[in-house]
Amino acid sequence: MIEVKNLVKRYGDHCAVDHLSFTVADGQIYGFLGPNGAGKSTTMNIMTGYLAATEGEVLIEGHNVLEEPEEARRCIGYLPEIPPVYPEMTVREYLHFCAQLKKIPKAEQENQIAQVVALTHLEEVAGRLIRNLSKGYRQRLGLAQAILGFPKIIILDEPTVGLDPKQIIEIRDLIRRLAREHTVILSSHILSEVRAVCDHILIIHKGKLVACDTPENLEEHLSGAHTVEIEAKGSCEQVEEILSGIPSLTGKTVSPKTESTVAAELTAAQDVREQLFRAFAAADCPLLELTPRIASLEEVFLELTRGGREESADGVPGEVRPQDEEGGGQA
Ligand code: ADP
Ligand code: MG
C-alpha cells in the first residue's frame, strides 16, 4: 500500500504538485491521467524517492520514502520518464548492473534477468549495445529494469511513449499480467491508454487531484447527472406541461424539432426513463425517442481539466514533447 499525504512541490513560485493526497491499494492498476505539465512525473519522482517534496510525505508499505529510503525503494520498481542511459553497455550488462544495484542475490541474478528479458521480449537484442537500440527496445529495457527483482509496486512513467501500436498492445498485456501479482501505477496524458488498462484513474490537473475513481464510475457520475434526450409528438407547451409533472428533473431544454414533434434534453439526479415513459403515455403524447446520454470518459476528462492547456505563459520549456505529435496513440 502507498499513502501519499498532502504532497506539495514548489519550484520557486510555481506549484507543480499542490496538496496531493491519495492511497494506492495492493494488486490493482492505477493510472495518473493529466495533460502535460500536470505534475505526474514530479509526483512519481517524489513517490520513488528521487525528488524531495516541499511538504507532505509518502509512505510505501509503511516506510517513509525520505526517512527509510532503502526499505521503501526495495518495494518499488521505477521506469522514469527519462530513464538513465548507459549507451556503451549491452542490454545484458545493463541488467546485471541493475541487479547489483537492487542487491538481488548473486545466485538469483541470472534467472531473474532471463525472466525479465523473456517478459519484455528482449531476447534478440540481449547482446546488443544500448546505443544501437531502437526507441521501442529502449523503452522495453526500461521496463525490464523496473520489473527486475519483482518488487511489490511497479511505477511506470508514460510506459508506452515512443512505441508502435503493436508494441503498445504487448506492453498493455504485460502490465495486465504484472498486475496479477504486483501493484502497478502508470502515468499517461492519453486517455485511451489509462482507460484500456487501469482499474482506477486519478486525474491530475495543475498539480491537484481533480478526480479519483474507476473508469466506469467516472463516466457514469459526471456531475452526478443522468442526461436523457427525448423526441415526442406534440407541441412545446404540451411537452413542458408533461415534464412539469416530473419533480426529479433538474434541468430541461425543450425546442421544436419538426412541424409536429418536439425535442428535449433532460437532466436528473437519477434515472428518469421509466417516469418519462409513463408520464407521456398517461398524457397520450407519443414518445418517439428516448436516449440516455452517457458521458464518455473524454467528456469527464475535458470537464475536469477545463481551461486545461498547460500554461505556457511562464515560459517553462520542455512542455511540447515530440511524442505529443503522434496523434495521441489512440491504438
Ligand atoms: P507531467 O509529468 O504531468 O507532464 P511534470 O511533473 O513534468 O508534469 O511537471 C509539472 C510542472 O512542474 C510543469 O509545469 C513543469 O514545467 C514544472 N517543472 C517540472 N520540473 C521542474 C524543474 N526541475 N524546475 C522547474 N519547474 C519544473
Ligand atoms: Mg511527465
Side-chain angles (χ1 to χ4, degrees), residues 84-101 125-133 138 141:
V85 281
Y86 298 89
E88 302 307 324
M89 284 188 189
T90 67
V91 166
R92 201 179 294 285
E93 281 165 358
Y94 174 64
L95 289 174
H96 268 287
F97 171 67
C98 296
Q100 280 160 23
L101 284 185
V125 297
R128 233 187 260 176
L129 288 179
I130 294 176
R131 176 159 48 99
N132 299 330
L133 294 185
R138 277 187 205 199
L141 179 57

Side-chain angles (χ1 to χ4, degrees), residues 229-297:
E229 289 165 356
I230 60 166
E231 185 180 350
K233 203 165 174 182
S235 66
C236 286
E237 293 72 35
Q238 218 178 342
V239 169
E240 292 269 15
E241 165 91 35
I242 297 167
L243 293 175
S244 64
I246 303 177
S248 47
L249 289 180
T250 53
K252 57 176 188 259
T253 53
V254 179
S255 55
K257 183 158 184 186
T258 67
E259 269 179 20
S260 59
T261 69
V262 170
E265 187 179 299
L266 312 169
T267 51
Q270 70 211 55
D271 189 349
V272 287
R273 285 175 297 171
E274 195 173 323
Q275 285 181 58
L276 286 170
F277 166 80
R278 293 189 192 286
F280 278 84
D284 197 24
C285 178
L287 253 189
L288 304 178
E289 197 181 309
L290 189 155
T291 315
R293 201 161 59 87
I294 295 170
S296 72
L297 199 46

Side-chain angles (χ1 to χ4, degrees), residues 73-150:
R73 282 209 203 176
R74 202 174 302 138
C75 308
I76 300 179
Y78 183 35
L79 169 68
E81 186 166 41
I82 303 158
V85 281
Y86 298 89
E88 302 307 324
M89 284 188 189
T90 67
V91 166
R92 201 179 294 285
E93 281 165 358
Y94 174 64
L95 289 174
H96 268 287
F97 171 67
C98 296
Q100 280 160 23
L101 284 185
K102 292 190 178 201
K103 301 203 171 96
I104 296 170
K106 258 215 142 50
E108 288 173 33
Q109 288 186 5
E110 277 303 326
N111 179 26
Q112 280 216 18
I113 289 170
Q115 277 189 59
V116 297
V117 163
L119 272 172
T120 51
H121 301 296
L122 284 169
E123 293 95 338
E124 28 178 304
V125 297
R128 233 187 260 176
L129 288 179
I130 294 176
R131 176 159 48 99
N132 299 330
L133 294 185
S134 69
K135 171 87 181 142
Y137 274 123
R138 277 187 205 199
Q139 194 69 358
R140 286 199 248 171
L141 179 57
L143 248 138
Q145 69 67 36
I147 302 168
L148 200 63
F150 296 95

Side-chain angles (χ1 to χ4, degrees), residues 39-54:
K40 305 178 296 292
S41 298
T42 306
T43 305
M44 288 181 150
N45 282 331
I46 296 171
M47 289 170 74
T48 49
Y50 283 82
L51 194 66
T54 311

